[in-house]
Amino acid sequence: MTSPPGGGDHGSAEEPRRFVCARCGTSVDVPAEGPPLTWTYSVESGIRQYYCETCSRENLRSIEGRLDSDWW
Ligand SMILES: [Zn+2]
């Protein structure tokens, strides 16, 4: 099967998904079902919140400092 480039943007089953960091607002487009491996997420009130690599690291730090949060 051949698909010429620019042959139309219709009928694409796999479109990239956009994940937005719940903390700093940065966004990333990934051609997969989940966020990048460097991202993390937590579920709060049944809603998934995604965090970018930078914010994940900062979360880790604050978790190491005080363990009273339910990030993971
Ligand atoms: Zn972030």
Side-chain angles (χ1 to χ4, degrees):
M1 282 193 280
T2 59
S3 53
D9 47 33
H10 233 255
S12 172
E14 295 181 17
E15 29 183 83
R17 298 183 59 176
R18 169 163 294 181
F19 292 90
V20 180
C21 178
R23 200 169 185 183
C24 70
T26 191
S27 62
V28 64
D29 291 318
V30 290
E33 290 202 4
L37 291 178
T38 50
W39 285 46
T40 60
Y41 75 86
S42 69
V43 180
E44 296 173 14
S45 305
I47 300 172
R48 277 194 185 187
Q49 306 267 36
Y50 292 96
Y51 298 96
C52 70
E53 183 178 5
T54 304
C55 292
S56 299
R57 258 190 226 147
E58 287 180 12
N59 282 345
L60 253 179
R61 269 195 194 169
S62 59
I63 285 173
E64 286 174 356
R66 51 160 82 174
L67 290 164
D68 60 358
S69 192
D70 281 299
W71 286 111
W72 314 96

